[in-house]
Amino acid sequence: METIELRCHLGVGPVVSGEALVTDDNFSARYDLDRIAGIFSRPQHKLAGQSYVGKIMVFNTAKGGVASAWMLHEMKLRGVAPKAILFNNVNPILAQGAALADMAMCDRFADGDVTRLIKTGDQVEVRPEQGLVTITRSSGRLCGGD
Amino acid sequence: MKLNEEEKAMHSGELGAPCRWAIEHMIQVGRFFDAPDLVPVTQAHIMADTESLGEAGVEFIEGLAAYPQHERQVRIPMITDPRGIDFCHYRRLGQTEQMASLERRTIDAFEAMGILMTNTCINYQTIMPPLRGEHLAFGDTGVVIYCNSVLGACSNFEGGPSALAAGLTGRTPRYGLHLDRNRRATRRYRVEFEPQHLADWGALGGIVGARVGSYWEVPVIEGIDSPPGSDEMKHMGAAMASYGSVPLFHVVGVTPEAATLDAVCDPSRLEAESVTHSDLEKFLARYDGKGEKVDVVVFSAPQLSLLEMQSLAELLDGRKVHRDTSLLAVTSPVVASDARRLGLVERIEASGSLVLEGMCFYQSYAREMAEANGWKRLMTNSVKLVNIIGGYGYQPTLSSMENCVASAIAGEVL
C-alpha cells in the first residue's frame, strides 16, 4: 500500500474518508444530478449514470447559480449525498452550501490538478481543518502506470 | 478571522442562537476564502425559491423564525428574489397544492424574521439601486453582476444561507469582490458587432461568459461606444453570469469603474480577443428550431421591466396568441402593479397571454409545469433562460421579442 499526502487550502466540514470518484468535468448540484436517486443524470456529464452517494467526489470546478447553496444541505439530510467534494477551484456558492450542510469540501491543491492527482477507486481521507487529503492506493496500481 | 466586540458577542450566543449560527457560518465561509474580517453591508437579498429549498431548507428557515422576535429579526433591510409560485395562477400552470403550501410556509417564516417579500430579481431597477462602493449581500447571480458592474457596488454571489446570515448580522465576510484588487480586469474582449435587440445583448453576455468561465476572472469589454439601456445591461449581465459564473464585468466608457481601459487593467499586458458577428451567429444557431411548433413563449429571467412590458403590449395589440401556444410574461410585483394601473396588463392579456408576478419561470418547478402542460418547445428572448431550461427537459429557441411574439401568434417558430 502506498500513501500520498496532498496539501490544499483550508476547507470546511468534518474529517471523512471514503472511496474517490473522479472526473475532470465540472459540477452543478442543480443541473447534473438526480438528487432523489443519487446519480448523475445530465447525459452530457462525464459521470452520467454513476452514483455519488457516500463517495469522495473530485471535480475541476463548480457551476450553477445561487440556488445550489441550499442543495447539499437537503441532500445530506436525506442521506443521499457524497461524503466530501474536492475541486481545483470552487465558487462561493458551493462553499457556502458546504458550510450550511457541514459537508467536507476543499480546493486549491498545492501539487496541481486534483482531478489527476486522485484516481477513481482510491481510498481518500479528507481533513478540511488542516487542508490535508491523504490517498491510500495499492502499490500495484501505482506500478500499473497510473 | 478578526471579530470586533459586537461580532464576538454574536459568536458567543449573547444575541441569540440565529445570530450565533449566522456568524459561525460566515467564519467558515470567510476562512475558506481568506477573509481578514467581516464587512458591514447595507442590504441583503435572498434567493430561496422552494424548488431549491426543498422541505429541508424550509424547515431550516422555520427553525430560525421560531426564535423570539428580538433574536430572529434581521438587522438590515432584507428583500427576496422571485418565489416559485404566483398564487393567482399556480393551478392554471399545473403547479400543485403541495408546492403552494411549501411556498406559504416559507413566506410566513421570512415575514416573521422581518424580511420584505419583494419577490424580484430586478430590485436594482425597481426597489433601491445601490451606489458605487456600497457593500451588499445579494443573491441571484443576475442581480449581483448588474450591481457590481453597472452600479459599481460590491457583492459576492450570496447563496440563500449566506444571504440569511448577512441579514441576521448586517455583515458578510470580506473576500472576493469586496476587495478592490479582485475587481481589476483579467480578460479583455473587443466586440466587433452592434447588438440589435435584447437577445443579442444576452448572446454577447453568453459568449463572453462561456469564454471566461470562472468566478475569479473579470472581463473588460471594448467596442461598445455609447451606453445601452438598463434592460440591455440586465440581459447581458444575467447571461454572462449564467454561462460563466462571472460576477463582474467592465465596459470601457460605460460602466463606472472603467472610464478608460487603463482604469481597470494594464492594456500592454492584456491582449484583446475578438467577439465577432460570426460568433454571434454561431451562438444563435445553437438555439434554432425554425418551422417547429412552439408550445410556450416565455418572457422571464430576468423579470420584465416596465418598459419591456410596454414593448410587449405594443407587439400584442389587436393580435391573438395561437390556441396551441401559451405566452407567459413574468414580472415583479412592483412592475405588475404599475403595468396594471397603466393598462399594460390588460393589453397583454387581451391577446390570450398571461402576466405572472413575483416568480421566475425557471425556478418555478419548470419540469413539473412542462409535464402538466405538455410543453416541450420553449421560445424566449432570454439567453439566461435558454441556458438553464434545457436541463428541465425543454427544447429552447432564442429570438428577439418581436419574433417570439410573431411565433406565438403563428403557433410555430418563425
Side-chain angles (χ1 to χ4, degrees):
Chain A
M1 298 295 269
E2 191 101 7
T3 62
I4 304 164
E5 289 195 343
L6 303 177
R7 290 279 162 193
C8 58
H9 194 275
L10 297 188
V12 293
V15 176
V16 290
S17 51
E19 188 184 320
L21 179 57
V22 185
T23 173
D24 59 2
D25 208 339
N26 301 320
F27 175 67
S28 161
R30 188 163 205 169
Y31 303 119
D32 291 340
L33 308 181
D34 179 335
R35 284 178 280 129
I36 304 301
I39 58 167
F40 288 85
S41 59
R42 191 167 60 86
Q44 296 81 8
H45 199 277
K46 288 188 181 170
L47 297 178
Q50 299 204 50
S51 167
Y52 54 77
V53 180
K55 294 283 175 18
I56 309 287
M57 295 301 314
V58 184
F59 300 100
N60 178 40
T61 189
K63 298 199 315 181
V66 166
S68 35
W70 291 108
M71 290 179 177
L72 299 181
H73 170 69
E74 193 267 343
M75 287 156 62
K76 191 169 169 181
L77 282 192
R78 275 191 300 107
V80 185
K83 276 191 182 158
I85 313 183
L86 310 178
F87 292 100
N88 279 322
N89 275 291
V90 71
N91 65 13
I93 299 299
L94 220 64
Q96 295 161 9
L100 177 72
D102 196 29
M103 182 182 291
M105 184 176 288
C106 295
D107 76 343
R108 286 162 285 172
F109 283 79
D111 296 321
D113 183 351
V114 68
T115 70
R116 299 178 70 91
L117 294 167
I118 302 177
K119 310 284 181 197
T120 291
D122 284 348
Q123 280 300 313
V124 176
E125 184 191 60
V126 183
R127 295 186 169 273
E129 291 262 338
Q130 292 171 34
L132 179 67
V133 172
T134 309
I135 306 170
T136 309
R137 189 182 286 169
S138 68
S139 38
R141 291 195 66 216
L142 285 179
C143 296
D146 274 354
Chain B
M1 199 158 70
K2 212 172 78 191
L3 300 184
N4 67 23
E5 290 310 311
E6 193 186 1
E7 291 155 2
K8 283 179 189 160
M10 290 178 180
H11 195 219
S12 71
E14 276 174 51
L15 301 179
C19 229
R20 186 175 55 193
W21 165 78
I23 205 126
E24 180 56 34
H25 177 81
M26 290 195 292
I27 289 170
Q28 287 195 41
V29 174
R31 193 174 52 186
F32 199 102
F33 292 113
D34 302 311
D37 60 358
L38 302 172
V39 56
V41 289
T42 50
Q43 290 182 56
H45 171 259
I46 184 166
M47 183 185 198
D49 62 278
T50 51
E51 184 194 333
S52 53
L53 277 172
E55 180 73 30
V58 175
E59 278 174 22
F60 177 80
I61 296 167
E62 285 177 332
L64 291 176
Y67 283 93
Q69 170 105 32
H70 66 281
E71 293 187 17
R72 69 185 185 223
Q73 202 68 16
V74 291
R75 280 179 170 67
I76 51 171
M78 179 151 185
I79 60 176
T80 60
D81 208 36
R83 294 189 320 251
I85 295 275
D86 177 335
F87 287 100
C88 295
H89 297 294
Y90 70 95
R91 290 193 188 93
R92 182 169 165 186
L93 293 171
Q95 296 169 318
T96 65
E97 295 303 327
Q98 191 262 342
M99 293 169 188
S101 141
L102 212 52
E103 202 75 42
R104 282 193 196 94
R105 284 170 53 194
T106 310
I107 294 168
D108 287 347
F110 277 158
E111 287 183 342
M113 296 175 75
I115 295 169
L116 298 171
M117 300 303 297
T118 52
N119 307 329
T120 184
C121 58
I122 53 166
N123 53 314
Y124 50 82
Q125 289 181 323
T126 56
I127 307 285
M128 185 75 83
L131 301 180
R132 184 171 178 184
E134 191 171 352
H135 292 275
L136 308 157
F138 277 3
D140 191 303
T141 60
V143 169
V144 173
I145 193 171
Y146 189 101
C147 294
N148 279 328
S149 311
V150 180
L151 304 176
C154 309
S155 179
N156 287 312
F157 288 171
E158 301 275 13
S162 293
L164 211 48
L168 285 165
T169 61
R171 296 152 166 81
T172 197
R174 195 191 302 271
Y175 67 93
L177 296 175
H178 295 288
L179 299 166
D180 285 345
R181 65 168 185 266
N182 296 329
R183 301 178 67 92
R184 308 255 315 154
T186 60
R187 305 283 289 268
R188 184 176 161 196
Y189 298 93
R190 166 157 286 281
V191 181
E192 295 176 354
F193 64 91
E194 227 173 283
Q196 298 300 308
H197 45 64
L198 295 177
D200 279 358
W201 283 101
L204 173 57
I207 294 165
V208 170
R211 288 199 201 169
V212 173
S214 163
Y215 188 84
W216 309 104
E217 302 276 350
V218 179
V220 57
I221 299 170
E222 300 168 87
I224 297 169
D225 296 327
S226 58
S230 171
D231 284 332
E232 283 76 3
M233 289 303 225
K234 168 173 92 172
H235 278 267
M236 180 167 96
M240 202 184 295
S242 180
Y243 274 80
S245 206
V246 176
L248 167 67
F249 64 85
H250 301 295
V251 180
V252 176
V254 175
T255 57
E257 287 163 82
T260 60
L261 184 60
D262 293 43
V264 289
C265 69
D266 175 354
S268 67
R269 287 161 167 248
L270 208 56
E271 207 166 312
E273 256 182 64
S274 292
V275 183
T276 64
H277 196 265
S278 133
D279 293 325
L280 174 70
E281 284 173 347
K282 269 186 236 154
F283 185 91
L284 297 174
R286 291 163 59 186
Y287 304 105
D288 200 6
K290 204 158 278 181
E292 289 191 31
K293 172 182 182 291
V294 57
D295 300 311
V296 60
V297 173
V298 179
F299 299 109
S300 185
Q303 291 172 332
L304 300 193
S305 69
L306 191 63
L307 305 191
E308 288 174 290
M309 291 289 279
Q310 184 185 32
S311 302
L312 185 58
E314 284 169 359
L315 289 167
L316 284 166
D317 275 340
R319 306 167 88 179
K320 288 279 180 206
V321 170
H322 193 277
R323 61 186 154 80
D324 296 327
T325 301
S326 301
L327 192 155
L328 309 177
V330 187
T331 189
S332 77
V334 167
V335 169
S337 158
D338 258 3
R340 210 164 278 123
R341 181 174 60 81
L342 296 166
L344 299 173
V345 170
E346 200 183 346
R347 282 164 64 190
I348 292 168
E349 293 195 332
S351 68
S353 305
L354 187 58
V355 173
L356 298 164
E357 66 176 83
M359 56 184 271
C360 188
F361 188 82
Y362 74 92
Q363 55 198 55
S364 305
Y365 305 93
R367 188 187 303 279
E368 291 81 354
M369 285 197 288
E371 286 163 6
N373 295 286
W375 290 337
K376 189 87 184 157
R377 174 64 60 184
L378 178 148
M379 195 169 178
T380 182
N381 70 341
S382 161
V383 171
K384 175 173 179 165
L385 189 58
V386 296
N387 185 37
I388 292 172
I389 211 66
Y392 286 95
Y394 292 77
Q395 293 171 331
T397 295
L398 177 67
S399 197
S400 65
M401 180 186 272
E402 195 175 359
N403 193 46
C404 287
V405 167
S407 301
I409 286 154
E412 68 173 84
V413 179
L414 298 176

